[in-house]
Amino acid sequence: MTYTRRNHQLGPHTEAQMATSQPKRPWYKRKGPRIAAGATLCAVAVAATLGFIATNHLANNLHTTEVSGLASNSNHDGPLNILVIGSDGRDGSINAGEAEGRRSDSLMILHLNSTHTQATGIQIPRDTMVKPPKNSKEYASDPQQPVQINSFLDEGDSQLVSAVTDLTGIPLDHSVDVSFGGFMSVIDALDGITMCLPEALHDPDANLNLPAGCQTLHGKDALAMARTRHAIGDGSDLARIKHQQQVMAAILDKVKKDNVLSNPTKMFDLLNKASSSITVDSGLKDQKELAAVLKSFSQAGLDRMEFRQLPVEPYPLDPNRVQLSNDGEAFLKSFQHD
């Protein structure tokens, strides 16, 4: 299937995507977290235990890109915000079909409050319609026409940072881009995850072919399950989020079962394998900055982290897309300065 940028503006109607935000439930039951972003949040929270030498090694593994529009928080006092991008860029790790350009398959702000006592993953639906940033070249001819937010990654990480900042009013300190390969590396470093399927799942578009029953999924199959739209449900993006929640729950179960978070050797192996498939802004390449950011998030602890979905409502011109709602605006205000 060939992808075009203008597919981000209009799409077919599906009733599932007309759903607005749901009442608050336990984080593991919400539709907020996307799989790559959720796994990255867990990694960021505990990586500080590895020490400076290990952090230096991980910093050298990371790929970097210059990103403009980021805030400056060199003292790391006060709130800290990191944009985590689950990129669908084809890196050769899987046969994911043809796609023109790059999109953000998932988009999340990792917010640490001003006292470093609470961390929140704020998921932005990738179908959210927003006006192009002022410096957008692709959409400069019609700057008032809203565009699907995940399309801006094709113009570079800086454009996506600008779009997210304009939408949320939250200053972003850093950006982290996780590829398909990075996600698979996390699964493989855990020696796979256990999934119990009530029925067989088949989706040629996602390279998914799994039998019913309990089984161990390694990187490619776990990614296929997280990406599938057609194996279960109505084929909507919200249906895919349910699959990703199941995979995320299996990752957390495996991490807990294997005591990964309390074992520096296992945690280093996990991050070491994943870091080579992660691209960060140039500021995080500095091991002192990376260590400071990791330490800041580790202060909150895993028991004081939650995932929230940005409240949205149907986009009037296309119910298959969404836009920021009044509840969403009120929700964001609580994170803009805290």
Side-chain angles (χ1 to χ4, degrees), residues 64-102:
T64 60
T65 184
E66 292 295 327
V67 180
S68 61
L70 294 173
S72 176
N73 189 11
S74 58
N75 294 325
H76 301 96
D77 52 350
L80 184 64
N81 300 292
I82 299 179
L83 181 64
V84 177
I85 305 163
S87 171
D88 74 349
R90 272 53 175 172
D91 56 8
S93 54
I94 62 169
N95 180 14
E98 295 182 1
E100 179 185 338
R102 298 170 65 224

mmCIF file of all heavy atoms in Angstrom, residues 64-102:
data_model
loop_
_atom_site.group_PDB
_atom_site.id
_atom_site.type_symbol
_atom_site.label_atom_id
_atom_site.label_comp_id
_atom_site.label_asym_id
_atom_site.label_seq_id
_atom_site.Cartn_x
_atom_site.Cartn_y
_atom_site.Cartn_z
ATOM 1 N N THR A 64 22.188 10.671 16.643
ATOM 2 C CA THR A 64 21.744 12.015 16.995
ATOM 3 C C THR A 64 21.288 12.782 15.759
ATOM 4 O O THR A 64 21.668 12.476 14.623
ATOM 5 C CB THR A 64 22.875 12.814 17.671
ATOM 6 O OG1 THR A 64 23.992 12.924 16.773
ATOM 7 C CG2 THR A 64 23.316 12.141 18.953
ATOM 8 N N THR A 65 20.468 13.775 16.014
ATOM 9 C CA THR A 65 20.029 14.688 14.967
ATOM 10 C C THR A 65 19.878 16.074 15.586
ATOM 11 O O THR A 65 19.560 16.197 16.779
ATOM 12 C CB THR A 65 18.694 14.231 14.348
ATOM 13 O OG1 THR A 65 18.348 15.090 13.258
ATOM 14 C CG2 THR A 65 17.572 14.249 15.374
ATOM 15 N N GLU A 66 20.126 17.095 14.793
ATOM 16 C CA GLU A 66 19.954 18.462 15.275
ATOM 17 C C GLU A 66 18.462 18.796 15.297
ATOM 18 O O GLU A 66 17.774 18.624 14.292
ATOM 19 C CB GLU A 66 20.701 19.455 14.390
ATOM 20 C CG GLU A 66 22.216 19.333 14.463
ATOM 21 C CD GLU A 66 22.768 19.689 15.839
ATOM 22 O OE1 GLU A 66 22.167 20.570 16.507
ATOM 23 O OE2 GLU A 66 23.772 19.091 16.246
ATOM 24 N N VAL A 67 17.980 19.249 16.440
ATOM 25 C CA VAL A 67 16.562 19.576 16.594
ATOM 26 C C VAL A 67 16.447 21.002 17.111
ATOM 27 O O VAL A 67 16.990 21.330 18.178
ATOM 28 C CB VAL A 67 15.863 18.607 17.565
ATOM 29 C CG1 VAL A 67 14.380 18.980 17.713
ATOM 30 C CG2 VAL A 67 16.000 17.172 17.084
ATOM 31 N N SER A 68 15.764 21.835 16.387
ATOM 32 C CA SER A 68 15.544 23.218 16.824
ATOM 33 C C SER A 68 14.204 23.301 17.555
ATOM 34 O O SER A 68 13.358 22.414 17.461
ATOM 35 C CB SER A 68 15.544 24.163 15.621
ATOM 36 O OG SER A 68 14.504 23.825 14.709
ATOM 37 N N GLY A 69 14.029 24.380 18.303
ATOM 38 C CA GLY A 69 12.771 24.608 19.000
ATOM 39 C C GLY A 69 12.682 23.974 20.374
ATOM 40 O O GLY A 69 11.629 24.027 21.007
ATOM 41 N N LEU A 70 13.785 23.378 20.848
ATOM 42 C CA LEU A 70 13.778 22.775 22.177
ATOM 43 C C LEU A 70 14.065 23.828 23.243
ATOM 44 O O LEU A 70 14.779 24.797 22.999
ATOM 45 C CB LEU A 70 14.823 21.659 22.266
ATOM 46 C CG LEU A 70 14.571 20.431 21.382
ATOM 47 C CD1 LEU A 70 15.771 19.490 21.439
ATOM 48 C CD2 LEU A 70 13.296 19.712 21.810
ATOM 49 N N ALA A 71 13.511 23.616 24.427
ATOM 50 C CA ALA A 71 13.741 24.530 25.537
ATOM 51 C C ALA A 71 15.108 24.261 26.150
ATOM 52 O O ALA A 71 15.752 23.256 25.865
ATOM 53 C CB ALA A 71 12.644 24.370 26.586
ATOM 54 N N SER A 72 15.545 25.159 27.010
ATOM 55 C CA SER A 72 16.829 25.000 27.688
ATOM 56 C C SER A 72 16.566 24.823 29.178
ATOM 57 O O SER A 72 16.001 25.699 29.840
ATOM 58 C CB SER A 72 17.724 26.220 27.458
ATOM 59 O OG SER A 72 18.929 26.101 28.180
ATOM 60 N N ASN A 73 16.958 23.670 29.723
ATOM 61 C CA ASN A 73 16.767 23.385 31.146
ATOM 62 C C ASN A 73 18.039 22.749 31.680
ATOM 63 O O ASN A 73 18.037 21.638 32.177
ATOM 64 C CB ASN A 73 15.562 22.456 31.343
ATOM 65 C CG ASN A 73 15.181 22.286 32.806
ATOM 66 O OD1 ASN A 73 15.670 23.005 33.673
ATOM 67 N ND2 ASN A 73 14.314 21.324 33.074
ATOM 68 N N SER A 74 19.134 23.472 31.540
ATOM 69 C CA SER A 74 20.446 22.916 31.852
ATOM 70 C C SER A 74 20.611 22.551 33.321
ATOM 71 O O SER A 74 21.398 21.670 33.665
ATOM 72 C CB SER A 74 21.555 23.904 31.440
ATOM 73 O OG SER A 74 21.377 25.146 32.093
ATOM 74 N N ASN A 75 19.871 23.213 34.205
ATOM 75 C CA ASN A 75 19.998 22.918 35.627
ATOM 76 C C ASN A 75 19.087 21.773 36.068
ATOM 77 O O ASN A 75 19.207 21.277 37.189
ATOM 78 C CB ASN A 75 19.666 24.169 36.452
ATOM 79 C CG ASN A 75 20.687 25.273 36.240
ATOM 80 O OD1 ASN A 75 21.870 25.012 36.054
ATOM 81 N ND2 ASN A 75 20.219 26.509 36.252
ATOM 82 N N HIS A 76 18.155 21.385 35.220
ATOM 83 C CA HIS A 76 17.222 20.299 35.507
ATOM 84 C C HIS A 76 16.445 20.526 36.796
ATOM 85 O O HIS A 76 16.103 19.587 37.507
ATOM 86 C CB HIS A 76 17.950 18.945 35.551
ATOM 87 C CG HIS A 76 18.655 18.627 34.275
ATOM 88 N ND1 HIS A 76 19.977 18.892 34.085
ATOM 89 C CD2 HIS A 76 18.197 18.092 33.119
ATOM 90 C CE1 HIS A 76 20.331 18.532 32.861
ATOM 91 N NE2 HIS A 76 19.273 18.051 32.253
ATOM 92 N N ASP A 77 16.209 21.807 37.107
ATOM 93 C CA ASP A 77 15.341 22.125 38.231
ATOM 94 C C ASP A 77 14.004 22.589 37.652
ATOM 95 O O ASP A 77 13.949 23.391 36.770
ATOM 96 C CB ASP A 77 15.954 23.216 39.116
ATOM 97 C CG ASP A 77 16.357 24.439 38.313
ATOM 98 O OD1 ASP A 77 16.328 24.369 37.072
ATOM 99 O OD2 ASP A 77 16.689 25.463 38.926
ATOM 100 N N GLY A 78 12.937 22.072 38.168
ATOM 101 C CA GLY A 78 11.634 22.362 37.594
ATOM 102 C C GLY A 78 11.206 21.242 36.658
ATOM 103 O O GLY A 78 11.830 20.184 36.585
ATOM 104 N N PRO A 79 10.114 21.454 35.922
ATOM 105 C CA PRO A 79 9.578 20.395 35.069
ATOM 106 C C PRO A 79 10.518 20.032 33.923
ATOM 107 O O PRO A 79 11.333 20.845 33.486
ATOM 108 C CB PRO A 79 8.268 21.000 34.547
ATOM 109 C CG PRO A 79 8.459 22.480 34.652
ATOM 110 C CD PRO A 79 9.316 22.686 35.860
ATOM 111 N N LEU A 80 10.399 18.802 33.470
ATOM 112 C CA LEU A 80 11.212 18.299 32.365
ATOM 113 C C LEU A 80 10.280 17.567 31.405
ATOM 114 O O LEU A 80 9.450 16.764 31.833
ATOM 115 C CB LEU A 80 12.283 17.348 32.894
ATOM 116 C CG LEU A 80 13.308 16.795 31.894
ATOM 117 C CD1 LEU A 80 14.158 17.928 31.324
ATOM 118 C CD2 LEU A 80 14.203 15.762 32.583
ATOM 119 N N ASN A 81 10.414 17.843 30.107
ATOM 120 C CA ASN A 81 9.532 17.263 29.104
ATOM 121 C C ASN A 81 10.335 16.681 27.945
ATOM 122 O O ASN A 81 11.160 17.383 27.351
ATOM 123 C CB ASN A 81 8.566 18.321 28.559
ATOM 124 C CG ASN A 81 7.690 18.918 29.646
ATOM 125 O OD1 ASN A 81 6.834 18.248 30.204
ATOM 126 N ND2 ASN A 81 7.919 20.191 29.955
ATOM 127 N N ILE A 82 10.088 15.422 27.640
ATOM 128 C CA ILE A 82 10.776 14.746 26.545
ATOM 129 C C ILE A 82 9.742 14.221 25.561
ATOM 130 O O ILE A 82 8.803 13.519 25.957
ATOM 131 C CB ILE A 82 11.637 13.586 27.061
ATOM 132 C CG1 ILE A 82 12.701 14.107 28.027
ATOM 133 C CG2 ILE A 82 12.291 12.835 25.904
ATOM 134 C CD1 ILE A 82 13.576 13.030 28.615
ATOM 135 N N LEU A 83 9.899 14.559 24.304
ATOM 136 C CA LEU A 83 9.017 14.044 23.261
ATOM 137 C C LEU A 83 9.549 12.699 22.789
ATOM 138 O O LEU A 83 10.678 12.605 22.309
ATOM 139 C CB LEU A 83 8.957 15.023 22.078
ATOM 140 C CG LEU A 83 8.036 14.596 20.929
ATOM 141 C CD1 LEU A 83 6.581 14.545 21.388
ATOM 142 C CD2 LEU A 83 8.189 15.547 19.739
ATOM 143 N N VAL A 84 8.745 11.642 22.937
ATOM 144 C CA VAL A 84 9.126 10.307 22.495
ATOM 145 C C VAL A 84 8.324 9.984 21.242
ATOM 146 O O VAL A 84 7.091 9.990 21.263
ATOM 147 C CB VAL A 84 8.880 9.254 23.583
ATOM 148 C CG1 VAL A 84 9.228 7.858 23.059
ATOM 149 C CG2 VAL A 84 9.701 9.569 24.818
ATOM 150 N N ILE A 85 9.037 9.704 20.169
ATOM 151 C CA ILE A 85 8.428 9.457 18.860
ATOM 152 C C ILE A 85 8.607 7.991 18.507
ATOM 153 O O ILE A 85 9.735 7.492 18.450
ATOM 154 C CB ILE A 85 9.101 10.326 17.778
ATOM 155 C CG1 ILE A 85 9.068 11.804 18.164
ATOM 156 C CG2 ILE A 85 8.448 10.082 16.414
ATOM 157 C CD1 ILE A 85 10.042 12.662 17.377
ATOM 158 N N GLY A 86 7.516 7.293 18.292
ATOM 159 C CA GLY A 86 7.584 5.949 17.743
ATOM 160 C C GLY A 86 7.513 6.079 16.239
ATOM 161 O O GLY A 86 6.430 6.238 15.666
ATOM 162 N N SER A 87 8.645 6.044 15.567
ATOM 163 C CA SER A 87 8.718 6.328 14.140
ATOM 164 C C SER A 87 8.424 5.095 13.313
ATOM 165 O O SER A 87 8.837 3.985 13.658
ATOM 166 C CB SER A 87 10.109 6.855 13.794
ATOM 167 O OG SER A 87 10.271 6.953 12.398
ATOM 168 N N ASP A 88 7.712 5.290 12.185
ATOM 169 C CA ASP A 88 7.471 4.176 11.268
ATOM 170 C C ASP A 88 8.475 4.183 10.116
ATOM 171 O O ASP A 88 8.250 3.552 9.092
ATOM 172 C CB ASP A 88 6.043 4.198 10.729
ATOM 173 C CG ASP A 88 5.802 5.299 9.689
ATOM 174 O OD1 ASP A 88 6.677 6.174 9.532
ATOM 175 O OD2 ASP A 88 4.756 5.276 9.021
ATOM 176 N N GLY A 89 9.573 4.918 10.295
ATOM 177 C CA GLY A 89 10.600 4.932 9.266
ATOM 178 C C GLY A 89 11.112 3.541 8.970
ATOM 179 O O GLY A 89 11.440 2.788 9.878
ATOM 180 N N ARG A 90 11.157 3.142 7.697
ATOM 181 C CA ARG A 90 11.590 1.805 7.311
ATOM 182 C C ARG A 90 13.104 1.720 7.409
ATOM 183 O O ARG A 90 13.822 2.345 6.638
ATOM 184 C CB ARG A 90 11.147 1.488 5.889
ATOM 185 C CG ARG A 90 9.756 0.879 5.742
ATOM 186 C CD ARG A 90 8.668 1.680 6.423
ATOM 187 N NE ARG A 90 7.348 1.104 6.133
ATOM 188 C CZ ARG A 90 6.236 1.494 6.705
ATOM 189 N NH1 ARG A 90 6.258 2.449 7.620
ATOM 190 N NH2 ARG A 90 5.079 0.931 6.393
ATOM 191 N N ASP A 91 13.586 0.958 8.408
ATOM 192 C CA ASP A 91 15.019 0.850 8.644
ATOM 193 C C ASP A 91 15.584 -0.480 8.168
ATOM 194 O O ASP A 91 16.711 -0.832 8.479
ATOM 195 C CB ASP A 91 15.331 1.046 10.129
ATOM 196 C CG ASP A 91 14.566 0.078 11.033
ATOM 197 O OD1 ASP A 91 13.916 -0.849 10.498
ATOM 198 O OD2 ASP A 91 14.628 0.240 12.261
ATOM 199 N N GLY A 92 14.767 -1.260 7.435
ATOM 200 C CA GLY A 92 15.219 -2.543 6.926
ATOM 201 C C GLY A 92 15.084 -3.676 7.905
ATOM 202 O O GLY A 92 15.395 -4.820 7.585
ATOM 203 N N SER A 93 14.596 -3.398 9.122
ATOM 204 C CA SER A 93 14.490 -4.438 10.145
ATOM 205 C C SER A 93 13.336 -5.389 9.878
ATOM 206 O O SER A 93 13.353 -6.534 10.311
ATOM 207 C CB SER A 93 14.341 -3.803 11.530
ATOM 208 O OG SER A 93 13.266 -2.895 11.561
ATOM 209 N N ILE A 94 12.300 -4.907 9.175
ATOM 210 C CA ILE A 94 11.178 -5.759 8.813
ATOM 211 C C ILE A 94 10.694 -5.378 7.429
ATOM 212 O O ILE A 94 11.011 -4.305 6.910
ATOM 213 C CB ILE A 94 9.994 -5.628 9.807
ATOM 214 C CG1 ILE A 94 9.452 -4.189 9.788
ATOM 215 C CG2 ILE A 94 10.375 -6.064 11.184
ATOM 216 C CD1 ILE A 94 8.139 -4.050 10.521
ATOM 217 N N ASN A 95 9.915 -6.247 6.826
ATOM 218 C CA ASN A 95 9.246 -5.950 5.571
ATOM 219 C C ASN A 95 7.922 -5.291 5.907
ATOM 220 O O ASN A 95 6.909 -5.952 6.114
ATOM 221 C CB ASN A 95 9.021 -7.220 4.755
ATOM 222 C CG ASN A 95 8.313 -6.946 3.437
ATOM 223 O OD1 ASN A 95 8.215 -5.797 3.012
ATOM 224 N ND2 ASN A 95 7.814 -7.995 2.798
ATOM 225 N N ALA A 96 7.923 -3.965 5.995
ATOM 226 C CA ALA A 96 6.746 -3.225 6.449
ATOM 227 C C ALA A 96 5.966 -2.601 5.306
ATOM 228 O O ALA A 96 5.092 -1.766 5.523
ATOM 229 C CB ALA A 96 7.176 -2.141 7.439
ATOM 230 N N GLY A 97 6.269 -2.995 4.088
ATOM 231 C CA GLY A 97 5.570 -2.416 2.951
ATOM 232 C C GLY A 97 6.148 -1.071 2.552
ATOM 233 O O GLY A 97 7.061 -0.549 3.172
ATOM 234 N N GLU A 98 5.591 -0.508 1.510
ATOM 235 C CA GLU A 98 6.079 0.767 1.003
ATOM 236 C C GLU A 98 5.390 1.917 1.728
ATOM 237 O O GLU A 98 4.218 1.856 2.057
ATOM 238 C CB GLU A 98 5.803 0.871 -0.496
ATOM 239 C CG GLU A 98 6.573 -0.143 -1.337
ATOM 240 C CD GLU A 98 6.297 0.034 -2.812
ATOM 241 O OE1 GLU A 98 5.531 0.955 -3.159
ATOM 242 O OE2 GLU A 98 6.846 -0.741 -3.604
ATOM 243 N N ALA A 99 6.149 2.951 1.980
ATOM 244 C CA ALA A 99 5.588 4.152 2.593
ATOM 245 C C ALA A 99 6.421 5.342 2.158
ATOM 246 O O ALA A 99 7.644 5.289 2.164
ATOM 247 C CB ALA A 99 5.571 4.047 4.108
ATOM 248 N N GLU A 100 5.753 6.395 1.772
ATOM 249 C CA GLU A 100 6.443 7.617 1.355
ATOM 250 C C GLU A 100 6.736 8.465 2.576
ATOM 251 O O GLU A 100 5.843 8.870 3.311
ATOM 252 C CB GLU A 100 5.562 8.405 0.383
ATOM 253 C CG GLU A 100 6.197 9.710 -0.096
ATOM 254 C CD GLU A 100 5.237 10.504 -0.953
ATOM 255 O OE1 GLU A 100 4.305 9.900 -1.511
ATOM 256 O OE2 GLU A 100 5.436 11.735 -1.057
ATOM 257 N N GLY A 101 8.011 8.734 2.826
ATOM 258 C CA GLY A 101 8.389 9.579 3.941
ATOM 259 C C GLY A 101 8.316 8.882 5.286
ATOM 260 O O GLY A 101 8.231 7.668 5.383
ATOM 261 N N ARG A 102 8.376 9.688 6.341
ATOM 262 C CA ARG A 102 8.342 9.188 7.712
ATOM 263 C C ARG A 102 7.137 9.771 8.427
ATOM 264 O O ARG A 102 6.757 10.916 8.213
ATOM 265 C CB ARG A 102 9.616 9.597 8.467
ATOM 266 C CG ARG A 102 10.898 9.052 7.894
ATOM 267 C CD ARG A 102 12.091 9.711 8.568
ATOM 268 N NE ARG A 102 12.181 9.370 9.989
ATOM 269 C CZ ARG A 102 12.440 10.240 10.947
ATOM 270 N NH1 ARG A 102 12.606 11.513 10.668
ATOM 271 N NH2 ARG A 102 12.530 9.841 12.202
#
